Each structure stands twice: as structure tokens, then as C-alpha cells.
Amino acid sequence: MNFLLDLIGLICLYLIATLGDSALPEPITKKILTIKDNLTIKSMCDESNRIRAEAGKHAHQLSKELCKSAQGHAEYMAEHGNMSHYINGSPGSRAKDAGWKGGFVTENIACGQRNVKSVFTVWRNSGGHYANMTGRYDRCGFGMARRGRMIYWCAVYARSIPKLDKKK
């Protein structure tokens, strides 16, 4: 997994270095994508849940807080031309800042893939990323941002905290 992330990171750095700053304008996406109307988020959720179904897992439910966290991180990575889980905080701290009040948070990130299918193929073929998609998480959020022709992707998976019935 680390080798794959290192390789993707090197490819991103190479493309940024060879294209130069003039070829890389500010990210196109500058607002938080809404869950209801955004086809990219819907497509990412559908693909993630398709992979979960193949593994015999229940579908994730989209969380507006986790989408806000994922979109914010995708935009941050695009703006800085840097793909990392730990720039701009951690997956958990970003989710908390976006309003997430649930449990454990993890994320998948990538850059350079041209479409939803290709980014999920990369994640599907990586043990750690696949474990995040098929793990014991029940909520998800997704984001995508562009910088020039480079696309940055973020998927956030988390566990909700069950509500306890208070008996009188």
C-alpha cells in the first residue's frame, strides 16, 4: 500500500513539475458539493456500495458532514498540489471540524485518475483502501477537486455512534 501511495505521489509531483504553475490554475471546485444534486458524489457512493455488496457488506449511508470533510480535503490537496492524509489536519480532525459527531474515521485519497471508475479500481486493488471501503463503517462522504487537468479524490468512511434508548 505504501509503495502504491508513494508511486502515485511521485507521479503527481512529476506532473506538477513538468506542467509548471502556469498550467495549474486554482481548483475549479470552490464550494462544498451538495449530496442531493451532485452526480460525482452519487457515482462515488454507488461504486463504493457496489464494492461493498460484492464483499457481502451492507451499503453505506451518505453523511453531509463526511462529504463536507472529503470535499474540503480534496480542495485543499488540489490547491496545494499535495496528496497526503495528514496535511490540513488528520481525517478525524477534518471530519470533526465539518460537524461529524460519530465514531472512528478513515479515508482514501488519490490523484490523477480521470473518472470515478478508475479511482475505485485503484482503491479496490489496494489492500488498505479496500479494507476501508469494506470495513465496519456505516457512513461515508466523498469529494473531488481539479487543479488544471489533475483530479484529487477523497473518500471518507466512518462509524456512527448508535443512539441508546433511555428507559424511564
Side-chain angles (χ1 to χ4, degrees):
M1 178 176 95
N2 287 338
F3 172 76
L4 180 61
L5 291 176
D6 290 342
L7 180 60
I8 292 170
L10 288 173
I11 291 169
C12 289
L13 289 174
Y14 169 77
L15 291 172
I16 290 168
T18 57
L19 292 175
D21 286 339
S22 62
L24 298 173
E26 287 298 308
I28 294 169
T29 309
K30 285 310 261 181
K31 65 178 182 141
I32 302 304
L33 301 176
T34 58
I35 295 172
K36 186 173 107 179
D37 300 320
N38 189 275
L39 295 177
T40 300
I41 288 176
K42 182 179 180 340
S43 180
M44 291 178 80
C45 186
D46 289 347
E47 188 62 18
S48 185
N49 282 329
R50 185 189 66 74
I51 291 168
R52 284 184 65 79
E54 287 177 359
K57 306 287 183 169
H58 294 291
H60 286 130
Q61 291 180 351
L62 274 172
S63 158
K64 68 180 179 179
E65 295 85 8
L66 297 178
C67 285
K68 182 178 178 182
S69 175
Q71 182 61 33
H73 191 50
E75 288 180 10
Y76 190 91
M77 291 188 299
E79 184 175 348
H80 292 86
N82 186 351
M83 185 184 79
S84 172
H85 293 287
Y86 296 100
I87 56 171
N88 192 29
S90 68
S93 69
R94 287 188 297 273
K96 183 178 177 185
D97 291 347
W100 176 249
K101 295 185 181 0
F104 185 79
V105 175
T106 189
E107 75 181 1
N108 290 350
I109 58 174
C111 71
Q113 293 76 18
R114 305 308 296 161
N115 56 53
V116 170
K117 195 76 158 169
S118 64
V119 76
F120 276 89
T121 297
V122 169
W123 289 337
R124 170 69 181 85
N125 292 319
S126 165
H129 294 98
Y130 180 74
N132 287 344
M133 289 188 293
T134 60
R136 296 178 55 197
Y137 308 107
D138 60 346
R139 300 292 187 271
C140 61
F142 302 98
M144 181 272 289
R146 295 176 187 268
R147 181 174 180 170
R149 290 183 283 174
M150 183 65 68
I151 303 173
Y152 290 80
W153 304 91
C154 186
V156 178
Y157 300 102
R159 289 186 198 121
S160 61
I161 297 175
K163 294 187 176 162
L164 300 174
D165 284 337
K166 294 183 181 180
K167 296 185 180 184
K168 296 182 181 183

